[in-house]
Every structure is written in structure tokens, then in C-alpha cells.
Amino acid sequence: MKTKKEVLLMSRTADLGCIVCKLFYNTYSPALIHHATGLKYRCTGKKAKEFIGLCHAHHDAGSPEHPSIHRYPKEFNDKYGSQSFLYDYTQKFLGGD
């Protein structure tokens, strides 16, 4: 079960909008929460505590020219940067570390 602090942070992250749209296209798009994936973020039976806001297009839909993190992960990373990079920017916008 999530703590009140975790729920508040997820809500603030979603309210921020898609971090890719914000950084690369200077626009707001409603965001879904994407929990970071990969060995760095692996937990046993739990989702990573690090997450970013991504719109539907950047989270699931995408195309090779406009990649999403789940459908075209390599192209997404090449075009928009790593999850760590996007997480760090999310924290800066939220006033975190």
C-alpha cells in the first residue's frame, strides 16, 4: 500500500504533465505515471519508486518517428534521453533533489 507521501508525489508528477512534451515540445499533455524500468530500478515484486509522467503517446502508443518508452524503448532513449535523465528533470520541476 502506498503512503500518503507517495500518493501526493504521484499526483504532483501527473499534474506536471508529460515530461517529454514539456522539455522537448514546450507544451502540456496530461500524463500517466511511468515507473522506471531496468536493472537499476529492479525491486522484488514491487514497482520502482522512481517514476515520471508521460502522455499516452510517449508512454504506450508511439511510432519509430515519435517513439514511446514501451513500444520503442531504444528509439525513445536515443531521442529523449534515459529514464534517469527524465526523472532528474521531473524532480527539478517538482522542487526535489
Side-chain angles (χ1 to χ4, degrees), residues 12-20 22 28-31 52-55:
R12 290 181 60 219
T13 300
D15 289 346
L16 179 65
C18 177
I19 192 68
V20 170
K22 186 175 186 70
Y28 174 84
S29 297
I52 56 177
L54 294 173
C55 65

Side-chain angles (χ1 to χ4, degrees), residues 2-53:
K2 292 184 180 10
T3 66
K4 286 183 181 181
K5 184 178 178 180
E6 289 172 319
V7 170
L8 178 60
L9 184 56
M10 289 177 85
S11 177
R12 290 181 60 219
T13 300
D15 289 346
L16 179 65
C18 177
I19 192 68
V20 170
C21 289
K22 186 175 186 70
L23 285 176
F24 292 87
Y25 303 106
N26 197 31
T27 190
Y28 174 84
S29 297
L32 306 164
I33 295 297
H34 168 74
H35 291 269
T37 57
L39 293 176
K40 179 177 179 180
Y41 304 106
R42 185 178 280 171
C43 293
T44 305
K46 296 181 181 179
K47 290 189 175 185
K49 292 184 180 181
E50 296 84 5
F51 48 83
I52 56 177

Side-chain angles (χ1 to χ4, degrees), residues 16 62 64-65 87:
L16 179 65
E65 299 79 31
Y87 176 75

